[in-house]
Amino acid sequence: MSEHRSSPLARRSFLTQVGTGVTVLGAAATVGGPPAVAAQGVEVRRWQPERHSQDEWLDQIQGKHRLVFDTTESSGMESALRYATNYYSANNTGYGLQNSDLAVVMIARHQSTPYAYDESLWTKYGVQLADFAEKGKTPSMRNAFGRQMNTLTGRGMHLAVCQLATRAIAGSIAAAFKSPTDEVYNEIAAHLLPNSHLVPAGIVAVNRAQEHGYALVHAV
């Protein structure tokens, strides 16, 4: 009774063909690659993020290099400001680049949100803002990072300010002063630091910035 056996050469040929098919399929699915046709004849298209009008400002910032800092509390804000200063300085001295060559965004969300508000708001609502930003710490009744923030926005840095946190802060202030929440919210929106953009949520800005080509640094 005979048993059919394929030759070693035939087996190698078959495996080579299978391997080639897998390679083509893998290449077709690679993000950033051109559209390709998989082994089964099904076209695989490159993924592209959807664009939204709310995020257009991210592309309007001029710069050859894009970097975004994500901050969620005071210690992270302090680190991010130091890193951003170093980023500008090192690109100036090490690469001969101008500040305008760098597109830098800092996201102020969660507890770091009030640091994107100007000094007039801290003077007026310092107790509420400090309580929100400095939970569990001895609060400062002023924007502890205002000077550094103004210096960096002067160099071209932009701020993405969390709208969700801002509405929560406005509600807290409104309760303390017995004022309408919308009135306080509009007051805050009118007194943000230069180059500020109220975004629907800070965490959304983290996502959108990366989809617009910004390298992410989560500062802690």
Side-chain angles (χ1 to χ4, degrees), residues 6-208:
S6 60
S7 67
L9 180 60
R11 287 197 298 273
R12 283 197 298 273
S13 176
F14 170 76
L15 291 173
T16 299
Q17 292 175 29
V18 171
T20 302
V22 171
T23 301
V24 170
L25 181 59
T30 300
V31 173
V37 178
Q40 294 83 357
V42 178
E43 186 176 0
V44 179
R45 294 188 177 276
R46 180 168 63 92
W47 173 82
Q48 288 276 15
E50 184 176 353
R51 291 293 190 247
H52 305 275
S53 59
Q54 299 97 315
D55 308 317
E56 288 177 354
W57 64 274
L58 288 165
D59 284 330
Q60 292 168 357
I61 303 174
Q62 299 300 308
K64 302 172 183 177
H65 302 282
R66 291 180 166 186
L67 186 64
V68 59
F69 293 94
D70 176 33
T71 70
T72 59
E73 56 186 21
S74 58
S75 61
M77 178 61 74
E78 182 177 13
S79 296
L81 291 169
R82 183 167 59 251
Y83 300 153
T85 299
N86 291 344
Y87 183 73
Y88 276 107
S89 298
N91 275 288
N92 293 160
T93 59
Y95 291 85
L97 297 176
Q98 302 300 311
N99 291 336
S100 58
D101 293 322
L102 308 172
V104 180
V105 173
M106 186 167 296
I107 298 172
R109 63 185 179 100
H110 198 47
Q111 289 175 238
S112 71
T113 305
Y115 298 122
Y117 304 164
D118 71 18
E119 200 62 43
S120 68
L121 288 176
W122 278 83
T123 299
K124 187 174 181 179
Y125 302 122
V127 172
Q128 289 76 27
L129 298 181
D131 181 63
F132 187 90
E134 302 288 344
K135 290 180 173 65
K137 302 177 182 178
T138 302
S140 169
M141 297 302 118
R142 65 182 185 85
N143 188 342
F145 306 117
R147 181 183 59 80
Q148 293 167 281
M149 297 277 268
N150 279 301
T151 296
L152 285 167
T153 55
R155 298 180 82 165
M157 185 181 80
H158 283 244
L159 299 170
V161 187
C162 182
Q163 191 177 72
L164 285 178
T166 296
R167 288 197 178 279
I169 293 167
S172 176
I173 292 173
F177 285 80
K178 295 181 172 53
S179 302
T181 299
D182 285 346
E183 182 179 303
V184 176
Y185 172 82
N186 290 334
E187 181 184 9
I188 293 174
H191 288 275
L192 302 176
L193 291 174
N195 297 347
S196 288
H197 309 264
L198 270 171
V199 296
I203 189 62
V204 174
V206 174
N207 165 249
R208 297 296 190 269

